[in-house]
Amino acid sequence: MRAFVIFCALLGSALSHKLFTGDQVLRITAANEERLAFLQQTYEQEKHLQLDLWREPLRGSPVVDVRVPFSSLQTVKAFLEHHGFQYEVMIHDVQALLDEEKAAMDRSRQRERDTGSFDYTSYHTLEEIYAWMDSLVAENPDLVSKITIGQSYEKRPLHVLKFSTGADRPAIWLDTGIHAREWITPATGIWTAKKIATDYGRDPSVTALLNTMDIFFEIVVNPDGYAFTHSSNRMWRKTRSINAGSDCVGVDPNRNWQANYGGPGTSSNPCSETYLGPFAHSESEVKSIVDFILDHGNFKAMISIHSYSQMLMYPYGYTHDPAPNADELHALAKRAVEALESLHGTKYTYGSMISTIYPASGTTADWGYANGLKYSFTFELRDTGRYGFLLPADQIMPTAQETWLALLTIMEHVRDHPY
Amino acid sequence: MSWFVYATVTLLSLVQGNPTVKSSQQQAPPTAEQSVGYVQQQQSTLEYNNMEPKPALTPAEAMPVEELNPSHYPARRAAHVAQHYLNTQHGSPFKLLGVDRVVSATSEEIAGVGMKYVVVFALKEMITNEPMGQCSAEVLYPIGEEQAPPQVQCSCEGLLHIDTKAQEEALYQQLKASDSLVSGHNIPDSYGFIAPEMKPFWHLGGVASSFVMLKESNESTLYNMAQVVNVTQQESQNKELTFQYHVLLHEMVSQEIIHWKLLVAWCPAEGVRVLQTEWQPKCHHCVAPPSNTTLTLYSTS
């Protein structure tokens, strides 16, 4: 059905033939099973209306989406109203929508080839971010390369930017975009990656850092989720993997790591936002990073960036027992947070994850720590709840700039304390 | 397989007092708790525990008072509860209060009653970003298996210093005089954008949500309003303006997004009142049309 609709749409656009002008998509709610059956019967019988079912009712959701050709609209609406069916107009003019889509696609095809003119003050789609990555590599061929470490559930590539000036270096891992709705994180990630590329050779500290260590930066850990927040549900958090035996989709990628997997702060319910998955590393998005870091064998730090709450946290999330170098991590976090605050006055709290935000098991930083990366941190960026996940785009730059100061503080410490 | 709608409609009529330096949780006027069922399988009543303020306890009944780390979550959650309480008392389309920083906190188990937190925090007015001095709050989470609202007493040194009467009156008069009814959706939108004329309704949504967030809070929750999905002004029956709200609340510990519908009344003289609240069950298959982006064609195969 979908293929047919798209074919018609493309054919229509190609021939400049407005096939869907004035057509509407109605969302009809049936109050009970009986009503639903009546509706379905009508749909099947009244072929002359040329109704086009877009969404069937699913268990637990007695809602149908139907495209109604313009010629049948009056009849259908009269029918619905006469029989007391509640409906709403989801799409007022399908052709107008198609035209808009095509225009948007044309616009996005003119992708920015230049990271200097890239708009760092707005949120970008996955396609735009992936295109920007290629630009960054093209502009900094001696410093930056792109590695594909695996595929997401829906087969999107998982790209990591490698910043390196020599072979066999110890490495730092940075990631953003593990939770789909935390848009400020990949936005900060892009700016930060550009900052690193720009500062190498100009800033003494960054230069010294990259002359001794490599940085690996995965900007969008969860591309399926991120795409879903653009297309369907802005508040989506998890991956988009199908859970066997459940209607609910997705695993919380920050509960899926083998680090006291299944412990406190996780849920075994696939419908939950903190669903830990069927087993540790079940998510390809997680497994790809695990394999990459273990195969590399020489990572020294892991920094995973989330939003929101304005916190900087170190292990553990799953126990109150202090990490062996907790004092060092605490002192480092304090300095990082002070550096961050110095720019715009943004206040952060810091401490172990379990005491600062909540108990959580199977998290990224705890896994890193358990695998010998003794400088493992989790950031929660702006804000503290006023806008939450819907942080205005005009806060992207200030957030990225202040976070950079904290990141640099941590990375300098890692650089200066080799082990 | 049959489906069920789990909806609880409650009458919540907490009258907002005038801004005072010291405010304690008022007794709600006696209201019959109503649960309107269009519930097929389960019926549930949400009881609003309007407890009498407990008399002071003799030392023998109290456990040791524990000093809390102000950076850790127990203190922060308690401060956040006080924030919700303050907004139910003092919030308006032009006034929204927030915790800027927790200064100090203690907790104490009161046998047979619950957990009592005493928290001192720096208060901020969120719209103007003005520091408002410090507040000292007592938050009592009642003991028990079922959710019951925490009891809050709070005194703040700086609350009287913000005067939003003129702005409130101007908006009120403008809406009263208007022929059309205000409506909006996705506030903020996906990009965090809010049209300037919609901001007061965003703030109003935040204040109204505070009533629900306060009532739903316990030691294991931290609530924020994530978004106003839509707001529709209703025909006015009296001097109050009425709005139907659909809001998303974000609960930090479970990370869940929870839908609520609220019927909200406001006028400058009476402040914000929440007339009805209705929890919306989580819909696993619902696709929310994205805001401010081109809709992509969606169809089943």
Side-chain angles (χ1 to χ4, degrees), chain B residues 185-215:
Chain B
H185 62 273
N186 292 328
I187 307 165
D189 72 8
S190 292
Y191 304 87
F193 173 74
I194 304 172
E197 63 274 13
M198 292 313 299
K199 283 205 165 168
F201 305 102
W202 178 51
H203 301 141
L204 180 59
V207 176
S209 295
S210 299
F211 286 84
V212 175
M213 297 193 288
L214 173 62
K215 148 174 95 60

PDB file of all heavy atoms in Angstrom, chain B residues 185-215:
ATOM      1  N   HIS B 185      -0.681  25.121  19.935  1.00  0.00           N
ATOM      2  CA  HIS B 185      -0.241  23.750  20.146  1.00  0.00           C
ATOM      3  C   HIS B 185       1.276  23.664  20.033  1.00  0.00           C
ATOM      4  O   HIS B 185       1.921  24.525  19.456  1.00  0.00           O
ATOM      5  CB  HIS B 185      -0.924  22.796  19.166  1.00  0.00           C
ATOM      6  CG  HIS B 185      -0.619  23.088  17.731  1.00  0.00           C
ATOM      7  ND1 HIS B 185      -1.338  23.992  16.985  1.00  0.00           N
ATOM      8  CD2 HIS B 185       0.334  22.605  16.913  1.00  0.00           C
ATOM      9  CE1 HIS B 185      -0.825  24.042  15.766  1.00  0.00           C
ATOM     10  NE2 HIS B 185       0.189  23.213  15.685  1.00  0.00           N
ATOM     11  N   ASN B 186       1.789  22.599  20.615  1.00  0.00           N
ATOM     12  CA  ASN B 186       3.239  22.346  20.630  1.00  0.00           C
ATOM     13  C   ASN B 186       4.019  23.558  21.115  1.00  0.00           C
ATOM     14  O   ASN B 186       4.763  24.194  20.374  1.00  0.00           O
ATOM     15  CB  ASN B 186       3.719  21.903  19.258  1.00  0.00           C
ATOM     16  CG  ASN B 186       3.177  20.531  18.893  1.00  0.00           C
ATOM     17  OD1 ASN B 186       2.968  19.697  19.781  1.00  0.00           O
ATOM     18  ND2 ASN B 186       2.926  20.292  17.639  1.00  0.00           N
ATOM     19  N   ILE B 187       3.853  23.840  22.388  1.00  0.00           N
ATOM     20  CA  ILE B 187       4.512  24.982  23.011  1.00  0.00           C
ATOM     21  C   ILE B 187       5.416  24.470  24.126  1.00  0.00           C
ATOM     22  O   ILE B 187       4.911  23.962  25.121  1.00  0.00           O
ATOM     23  CB  ILE B 187       3.478  25.947  23.647  1.00  0.00           C
ATOM     24  CG1 ILE B 187       2.401  26.333  22.618  1.00  0.00           C
ATOM     25  CG2 ILE B 187       4.159  27.190  24.189  1.00  0.00           C
ATOM     26  CD1 ILE B 187       1.179  26.960  23.256  1.00  0.00           C
ATOM     27  N   PRO B 188       6.737  24.523  23.980  1.00  0.00           N
ATOM     28  CA  PRO B 188       7.500  24.947  22.801  1.00  0.00           C
ATOM     29  C   PRO B 188       7.400  23.920  21.675  1.00  0.00           C
ATOM     30  O   PRO B 188       6.966  22.791  21.906  1.00  0.00           O
ATOM     31  CB  PRO B 188       8.951  24.987  23.318  1.00  0.00           C
ATOM     32  CG  PRO B 188       8.905  24.721  24.765  1.00  0.00           C
ATOM     33  CD  PRO B 188       7.596  24.073  25.069  1.00  0.00           C
ATOM     34  N   ASP B 189       7.800  24.301  20.468  1.00  0.00           N
ATOM     35  CA  ASP B 189       7.812  23.316  19.389  1.00  0.00           C
ATOM     36  C   ASP B 189       9.078  22.462  19.504  1.00  0.00           C
ATOM     37  O   ASP B 189       9.826  22.581  20.464  1.00  0.00           O
ATOM     38  CB  ASP B 189       7.663  23.995  18.016  1.00  0.00           C
ATOM     39  CG  ASP B 189       8.893  24.767  17.549  1.00  0.00           C
ATOM     40  OD1 ASP B 189       9.960  24.688  18.206  1.00  0.00           O
ATOM     41  OD2 ASP B 189       8.791  25.460  16.530  1.00  0.00           O
ATOM     42  N   SER B 190       9.294  21.620  18.508  1.00  0.00           N
ATOM     43  CA  SER B 190      10.417  20.682  18.593  1.00  0.00           C
ATOM     44  C   SER B 190      11.761  21.382  18.745  1.00  0.00           C
ATOM     45  O   SER B 190      12.722  20.801  19.239  1.00  0.00           O
ATOM     46  CB  SER B 190      10.482  19.814  17.331  1.00  0.00           C
ATOM     47  OG  SER B 190       9.378  18.941  17.294  1.00  0.00           O
ATOM     48  N   TYR B 191      11.832  22.607  18.276  1.00  0.00           N
ATOM     49  CA  TYR B 191      13.084  23.366  18.264  1.00  0.00           C
ATOM     50  C   TYR B 191      13.204  24.298  19.461  1.00  0.00           C
ATOM     51  O   TYR B 191      14.084  25.142  19.514  1.00  0.00           O
ATOM     52  CB  TYR B 191      13.208  24.140  16.940  1.00  0.00           C
ATOM     53  CG  TYR B 191      13.106  23.198  15.772  1.00  0.00           C
ATOM     54  CD1 TYR B 191      11.871  22.856  15.237  1.00  0.00           C
ATOM     55  CD2 TYR B 191      14.243  22.583  15.240  1.00  0.00           C
ATOM     56  CE1 TYR B 191      11.763  21.934  14.203  1.00  0.00           C
ATOM     57  CE2 TYR B 191      14.154  21.677  14.203  1.00  0.00           C
ATOM     58  CZ  TYR B 191      12.901  21.352  13.691  1.00  0.00           C
ATOM     59  OH  TYR B 191      12.803  20.441  12.673  1.00  0.00           O
ATOM     60  N   GLY B 192      12.265  24.189  20.398  1.00  0.00           N
ATOM     61  CA  GLY B 192      12.299  25.032  21.579  1.00  0.00           C
ATOM     62  C   GLY B 192      11.723  26.418  21.349  1.00  0.00           C
ATOM     63  O   GLY B 192      11.800  27.285  22.214  1.00  0.00           O
ATOM     64  N   PHE B 193      11.117  26.617  20.184  1.00  0.00           N
ATOM     65  CA  PHE B 193      10.598  27.943  19.854  1.00  0.00           C
ATOM     66  C   PHE B 193       9.188  28.140  20.426  1.00  0.00           C
ATOM     67  O   PHE B 193       8.352  27.241  20.382  1.00  0.00           O
ATOM     68  CB  PHE B 193      10.568  28.137  18.334  1.00  0.00           C
ATOM     69  CG  PHE B 193       9.898  29.409  17.906  1.00  0.00           C
ATOM     70  CD1 PHE B 193      10.547  30.627  18.078  1.00  0.00           C
ATOM     71  CD2 PHE B 193       8.623  29.409  17.381  1.00  0.00           C
ATOM     72  CE1 PHE B 193       9.924  31.818  17.710  1.00  0.00           C
ATOM     73  CE2 PHE B 193       7.988  30.592  17.017  1.00  0.00           C
ATOM     74  CZ  PHE B 193       8.647  31.796  17.174  1.00  0.00           C
ATOM     75  N   ILE B 194       8.957  29.335  20.969  1.00  0.00           N
ATOM     76  CA  ILE B 194       7.618  29.723  21.433  1.00  0.00           C
ATOM     77  C   ILE B 194       7.313  31.100  20.859  1.00  0.00           C
ATOM     78  O   ILE B 194       8.100  32.034  21.042  1.00  0.00           O
ATOM     79  CB  ILE B 194       7.555  29.812  22.973  1.00  0.00           C
ATOM     80  CG1 ILE B 194       7.994  28.502  23.619  1.00  0.00           C
ATOM     81  CG2 ILE B 194       6.154  30.190  23.433  1.00  0.00           C
ATOM     82  CD1 ILE B 194       8.127  28.579  25.122  1.00  0.00           C
ATOM     83  N   ALA B 195       6.178  31.224  20.167  1.00  0.00           N
ATOM     84  CA  ALA B 195       5.770  32.538  19.666  1.00  0.00           C
ATOM     85  C   ALA B 195       5.556  33.460  20.864  1.00  0.00           C
ATOM     86  O   ALA B 195       4.980  33.043  21.873  1.00  0.00           O
ATOM     87  CB  ALA B 195       4.496  32.408  18.857  1.00  0.00           C
ATOM     88  N   PRO B 196       6.034  34.697  20.792  1.00  0.00           N
ATOM     89  CA  PRO B 196       5.948  35.596  21.951  1.00  0.00           C
ATOM     90  C   PRO B 196       4.544  35.701  22.534  1.00  0.00           C
ATOM     91  O   PRO B 196       4.393  35.738  23.764  1.00  0.00           O
ATOM     92  CB  PRO B 196       6.410  36.939  21.384  1.00  0.00           C
ATOM     93  CG  PRO B 196       7.276  36.585  20.230  1.00  0.00           C
ATOM     94  CD  PRO B 196       6.741  35.311  19.661  1.00  0.00           C
ATOM     95  N   GLU B 197       3.523  35.720  21.668  1.00  0.00           N
ATOM     96  CA  GLU B 197       2.166  35.870  22.195  1.00  0.00           C
ATOM     97  C   GLU B 197       1.670  34.614  22.903  1.00  0.00           C
ATOM     98  O   GLU B 197       0.671  34.657  23.622  1.00  0.00           O
ATOM     99  CB  GLU B 197       1.193  36.275  21.073  1.00  0.00           C
ATOM    100  CG  GLU B 197       1.024  35.257  19.963  1.00  0.00           C
ATOM    101  CD  GLU B 197       2.079  35.376  18.860  1.00  0.00           C
ATOM    102  OE1 GLU B 197       3.092  36.079  19.063  1.00  0.00           O
ATOM    103  OE2 GLU B 197       1.889  34.747  17.801  1.00  0.00           O
ATOM    104  N   MET B 198       2.360  33.503  22.702  1.00  0.00           N
ATOM    105  CA  MET B 198       1.953  32.258  23.365  1.00  0.00           C
ATOM    106  C   MET B 198       2.645  32.060  24.704  1.00  0.00           C
ATOM    107  O   MET B 198       2.255  31.194  25.483  1.00  0.00           O
ATOM    108  CB  MET B 198       2.243  31.051  22.467  1.00  0.00           C
ATOM    109  CG  MET B 198       1.392  30.949  21.211  1.00  0.00           C
ATOM    110  SD  MET B 198      -0.374  31.205  21.472  1.00  0.00           S
ATOM    111  CE  MET B 198      -0.813  29.909  22.579  1.00  0.00           C
ATOM    112  N   LYS B 199       3.665  32.852  24.973  1.00  0.00           N
ATOM    113  CA  LYS B 199       4.430  32.608  26.209  1.00  0.00           C
ATOM    114  C   LYS B 199       3.585  32.641  27.491  1.00  0.00           C
ATOM    115  O   LYS B 199       3.751  31.786  28.354  1.00  0.00           O
ATOM    116  CB  LYS B 199       5.615  33.567  26.311  1.00  0.00           C
ATOM    117  CG  LYS B 199       6.752  33.150  25.394  1.00  0.00           C
ATOM    118  CD  LYS B 199       8.113  33.639  25.829  1.00  0.00           C
ATOM    119  CE  LYS B 199       9.202  32.881  25.069  1.00  0.00           C
ATOM    120  NZ  LYS B 199      10.535  33.462  25.210  1.00  0.00           N
ATOM    121  N   PRO B 200       2.680  33.618  27.637  1.00  0.00           N
ATOM    122  CA  PRO B 200       1.876  33.612  28.877  1.00  0.00           C
ATOM    123  C   PRO B 200       1.077  32.321  29.043  1.00  0.00           C
ATOM    124  O   PRO B 200       0.859  31.862  30.170  1.00  0.00           O
ATOM    125  CB  PRO B 200       0.935  34.806  28.695  1.00  0.00           C
ATOM    126  CG  PRO B 200       1.627  35.699  27.718  1.00  0.00           C
ATOM    127  CD  PRO B 200       2.365  34.785  26.783  1.00  0.00           C
ATOM    128  N   PHE B 201       0.679  31.718  27.906  1.00  0.00           N
ATOM    129  CA  PHE B 201      -0.110  30.484  27.989  1.00  0.00           C
ATOM    130  C   PHE B 201       0.779  29.286  28.291  1.00  0.00           C
ATOM    131  O   PHE B 201       0.332  28.296  28.880  1.00  0.00           O
ATOM    132  CB  PHE B 201      -0.930  30.300  26.708  1.00  0.00           C
ATOM    133  CG  PHE B 201      -1.788  31.500  26.434  1.00  0.00           C
ATOM    134  CD1 PHE B 201      -1.429  32.436  25.481  1.00  0.00           C
ATOM    135  CD2 PHE B 201      -2.924  31.729  27.197  1.00  0.00           C
ATOM    136  CE1 PHE B 201      -2.185  33.586  25.273  1.00  0.00           C
ATOM    137  CE2 PHE B 201      -3.695  32.870  26.994  1.00  0.00           C
ATOM    138  CZ  PHE B 201      -3.321  33.797  26.033  1.00  0.00           C
ATOM    139  N   TRP B 202       2.031  29.400  27.895  1.00  0.00           N
ATOM    140  CA  TRP B 202       3.022  28.383  28.288  1.00  0.00           C
ATOM    141  C   TRP B 202       3.232  28.450  29.798  1.00  0.00           C
ATOM    142  O   TRP B 202       3.198  27.418  30.487  1.00  0.00           O
ATOM    143  CB  TRP B 202       4.318  28.629  27.528  1.00  0.00           C
ATOM    144  CG  TRP B 202       5.443  27.695  27.853  1.00  0.00           C
ATOM    145  CD1 TRP B 202       5.429  26.333  27.868  1.00  0.00           C
ATOM    146  CD2 TRP B 202       6.796  28.072  28.183  1.00  0.00           C
ATOM    147  NE1 TRP B 202       6.667  25.833  28.180  1.00  0.00           N
ATOM    148  CE2 TRP B 202       7.539  26.886  28.363  1.00  0.00           C
ATOM    149  CE3 TRP B 202       7.462  29.295  28.311  1.00  0.00           C
ATOM    150  CZ2 TRP B 202       8.903  26.872  28.691  1.00  0.00           C
ATOM    151  CZ3 TRP B 202       8.815  29.286  28.618  1.00  0.00           C
ATOM    152  CH2 TRP B 202       9.523  28.085  28.816  1.00  0.00           C
ATOM    153  N   HIS B 203       3.400  29.666  30.302  1.00  0.00           N
ATOM    154  CA  HIS B 203       3.607  29.839  31.734  1.00  0.00           C
ATOM    155  C   HIS B 203       2.380  29.363  32.506  1.00  0.00           C
ATOM    156  O   HIS B 203       2.498  28.684  33.541  1.00  0.00           O
ATOM    157  CB  HIS B 203       3.892  31.300  32.084  1.00  0.00           C
ATOM    158  CG  HIS B 203       5.103  31.853  31.379  1.00  0.00           C
ATOM    159  ND1 HIS B 203       5.156  33.134  30.878  1.00  0.00           N
ATOM    160  CD2 HIS B 203       6.309  31.294  31.083  1.00  0.00           C
ATOM    161  CE1 HIS B 203       6.333  33.337  30.308  1.00  0.00           C
ATOM    162  NE2 HIS B 203       7.054  32.241  30.417  1.00  0.00           N
ATOM    163  N   LEU B 204       1.204  29.727  31.984  1.00  0.00           N
ATOM    164  CA  LEU B 204      -0.037  29.318  32.651  1.00  0.00           C
ATOM    165  C   LEU B 204      -0.136  27.794  32.705  1.00  0.00           C
ATOM    166  O   LEU B 204      -0.547  27.213  33.711  1.00  0.00           O
ATOM    167  CB  LEU B 204      -1.246  29.907  31.915  1.00  0.00           C
ATOM    168  CG  LEU B 204      -2.637  29.579  32.479  1.00  0.00           C
ATOM    169  CD1 LEU B 204      -2.777  30.048  33.920  1.00  0.00           C
ATOM    170  CD2 LEU B 204      -3.723  30.209  31.623  1.00  0.00           C
ATOM    171  N   GLY B 205       0.269  27.151  31.605  1.00  0.00           N
ATOM    172  CA  GLY B 205       0.300  25.688  31.568  1.00  0.00           C
ATOM    173  C   GLY B 205       1.241  25.131  32.622  1.00  0.00           C
ATOM    174  O   GLY B 205       0.953  24.117  33.261  1.00  0.00           O
ATOM    175  N   GLY B 206       2.362  25.801  32.795  1.00  0.00           N
ATOM    176  CA  GLY B 206       3.332  25.373  33.807  1.00  0.00           C
ATOM    177  C   GLY B 206       2.760  25.483  35.212  1.00  0.00           C
ATOM    178  O   GLY B 206       2.970  24.603  36.057  1.00  0.00           O
ATOM    179  N   VAL B 207       2.047  26.566  35.466  1.00  0.00           N
ATOM    180  CA  VAL B 207       1.444  26.750  36.791  1.00  0.00           C
ATOM    181  C   VAL B 207       0.377  25.687  37.023  1.00  0.00           C
ATOM    182  O   VAL B 207       0.334  25.036  38.076  1.00  0.00           O
ATOM    183  CB  VAL B 207       0.827  28.162  36.933  1.00  0.00           C
ATOM    184  CG1 VAL B 207       0.122  28.303  38.274  1.00  0.00           C
ATOM    185  CG2 VAL B 207       1.893  29.231  36.785  1.00  0.00           C
ATOM    186  N   ALA B 208      -0.481  25.488  36.025  1.00  0.00           N
ATOM    187  CA  ALA B 208      -1.539  24.479  36.155  1.00  0.00           C
ATOM    188  C   ALA B 208      -0.933  23.096  36.355  1.00  0.00           C
ATOM    189  O   ALA B 208      -1.393  22.316  37.192  1.00  0.00           O
ATOM    190  CB  ALA B 208      -2.440  24.511  34.926  1.00  0.00           C
ATOM    191  N   SER B 209       0.102  22.796  35.597  1.00  0.00           N
ATOM    192  CA  SER B 209       0.778  21.500  35.748  1.00  0.00           C
ATOM    193  C   SER B 209       1.331  21.321  37.150  1.00  0.00           C
ATOM    194  O   SER B 209       1.404  20.197  37.650  1.00  0.00           O
ATOM    195  CB  SER B 209       1.916  21.372  34.738  1.00  0.00           C
ATOM    196  OG  SER B 209       1.413  21.354  33.426  1.00  0.00           O
ATOM    197  N   SER B 210       1.720  22.424  37.771  1.00  0.00           N
ATOM    198  CA  SER B 210       2.289  22.337  39.117  1.00  0.00           C
ATOM    199  C   SER B 210       1.316  21.716  40.103  1.00  0.00           C
ATOM    200  O   SER B 210       1.726  21.019  41.042  1.00  0.00           O
ATOM    201  CB  SER B 210       2.719  23.713  39.624  1.00  0.00           C
ATOM    202  OG  SER B 210       3.706  24.253  38.772  1.00  0.00           O
ATOM    203  N   PHE B 211       0.019  21.947  39.904  1.00  0.00           N
ATOM    204  CA  PHE B 211      -0.980  21.329  40.781  1.00  0.00           C
ATOM    205  C   PHE B 211      -0.899  19.807  40.682  1.00  0.00           C
ATOM    206  O   PHE B 211      -0.919  19.098  41.682  1.00  0.00           O
ATOM    207  CB  PHE B 211      -2.393  21.800  40.421  1.00  0.00           C
ATOM    208  CG  PHE B 211      -2.698  23.211  40.842  1.00  0.00           C
ATOM    209  CD1 PHE B 211      -2.320  24.280  40.050  1.00  0.00           C
ATOM    210  CD2 PHE B 211      -3.355  23.462  42.036  1.00  0.00           C
ATOM    211  CE1 PHE B 211      -2.598  25.596  40.445  1.00  0.00           C
ATOM    212  CE2 PHE B 211      -3.644  24.766  42.444  1.00  0.00           C
ATOM    213  CZ  PHE B 211      -3.258  25.836  41.639  1.00  0.00           C
ATOM    214  N   VAL B 212      -0.809  19.319  39.441  1.00  0.00           N
ATOM    215  CA  VAL B 212      -0.715  17.872  39.231  1.00  0.00           C
ATOM    216  C   VAL B 212       0.633  17.342  39.712  1.00  0.00           C
ATOM    217  O   VAL B 212       0.708  16.304  40.369  1.00  0.00           O
ATOM    218  CB  VAL B 212      -0.905  17.532  37.736  1.00  0.00           C
ATOM    219  CG1 VAL B 212      -0.680  16.041  37.488  1.00  0.00           C
ATOM    220  CG2 VAL B 212      -2.298  17.928  37.280  1.00  0.00           C
ATOM    221  N   MET B 213       1.694  18.065  39.371  1.00  0.00           N
ATOM    222  CA  MET B 213       3.032  17.590  39.732  1.00  0.00           C
ATOM    223  C   MET B 213       3.198  17.529  41.248  1.00  0.00           C
ATOM    224  O   MET B 213       3.816  16.594  41.787  1.00  0.00           O
ATOM    225  CB  MET B 213       4.095  18.487  39.083  1.00  0.00           C
ATOM    226  CG  MET B 213       4.043  18.433  37.554  1.00  0.00           C
ATOM    227  SD  MET B 213       5.456  19.152  36.712  1.00  0.00           S
ATOM    228  CE  MET B 213       5.217  20.886  36.983  1.00  0.00           C
ATOM    229  N   LEU B 214       2.616  18.494  41.915  1.00  0.00           N
ATOM    230  CA  LEU B 214       2.683  18.479  43.375  1.00  0.00           C
ATOM    231  C   LEU B 214       1.972  17.247  43.912  1.00  0.00           C
ATOM    232  O   LEU B 214       2.499  16.483  44.724  1.00  0.00           O
ATOM    233  CB  LEU B 214       2.041  19.749  43.943  1.00  0.00           C
ATOM    234  CG  LEU B 214       1.890  19.815  45.470  1.00  0.00           C
ATOM    235  CD1 LEU B 214       3.246  19.777  46.168  1.00  0.00           C
ATOM    236  CD2 LEU B 214       1.132  21.087  45.886  1.00  0.00           C
ATOM    237  N   LYS B 215       0.798  17.022  43.414  1.00  0.00           N
ATOM    238  CA  LYS B 215      -0.042  15.937  43.917  1.00  0.00           C
ATOM    239  C   LYS B 215       0.570  14.571  43.600  1.00  0.00           C
ATOM    240  O   LYS B 215       0.395  13.612  44.347  1.00  0.00           O
ATOM    241  CB  LYS B 215      -1.438  16.127  43.308  1.00  0.00           C
ATOM    242  CG  LYS B 215      -2.267  14.940  43.026  1.00  0.00           C
ATOM    243  CD  LYS B 215      -3.659  15.367  42.568  1.00  0.00           C
ATOM    244  CE  LYS B 215      -3.866  15.450  41.066  1.00  0.00           C
ATOM    245  NZ  LYS B 215      -3.666  14.209  40.329  1.00  0.00           N
TER     246      LYS B 215
END
